[in-house]
Amino acid sequence: MATPNPFTFIVYVRDAQQSATFYGDLLDLSPVFESPRYIAFELPGGTQLAVWSGNDVFGDRLPEDGSPTRTSELCISRGTASEIDATFTDWKARGIHIIAEPYDDVFGRTFLAADPDGNLIRVAPVD
């Protein structure tokens, strides 16, 4: 019998395939499950990250203007400030939309980026 995933984090997007390509390239991952509107990636520890563009039963999960309220961030941990700065330099060179350049916060060095739908991606030190 298959063991269920302990957690799946779902990011709501307008175009699941476009977002899956973005996250696959960003995280160097291939999907473990693909459907027309829902695509999932396996993360370390058995957790999954999925992109979902809504469903046919209840309609699109996004408001009519296509801009959902942002209430969370995806956080990617890096070990040191220099690794965080190097990730920032790499992402900026790749054209990733940067919201906030690297700065020091109460938990250490961090910066903030966004995916094509404006979902926030924070890079920060390992807790």
Side-chain angles (χ1 to χ4, degrees), residues 34-90:
E34 293 186 62
S35 70
R37 295 178 311 280
Y38 182 90
I39 301 171
F41 298 91
E42 186 80 22
L43 300 174
T47 300
Q48 287 191 347
L49 171 66
V51 294
W52 189 23
S53 62
N55 63 53
D56 286 338
V57 177
F58 299 111
D60 196 350
R61 295 277 185 202
L62 299 175
E64 287 183 25
D65 70 355
S67 57
T69 302
R70 307 292 173 202
T71 59
S72 63
E73 298 176 351
L74 173 65
C75 185
I76 298 172
S77 298
R78 296 288 187 253
T80 65
S82 61
E83 290 174 310
I84 291 166
D85 288 342
T87 301
F88 166 76
T89 300
D90 174 55

Side-chain angles (χ1 to χ4, degrees), residues 85 88 92 98-104 109-113:
D85 288 342
F88 166 76
K92 189 171 181 179
I98 303 298
I99 302 295
E101 295 196 4
Y103 64 97
D104 296 318
R109 193 81 169 153
T110 187
F111 74 90
L112 196 59

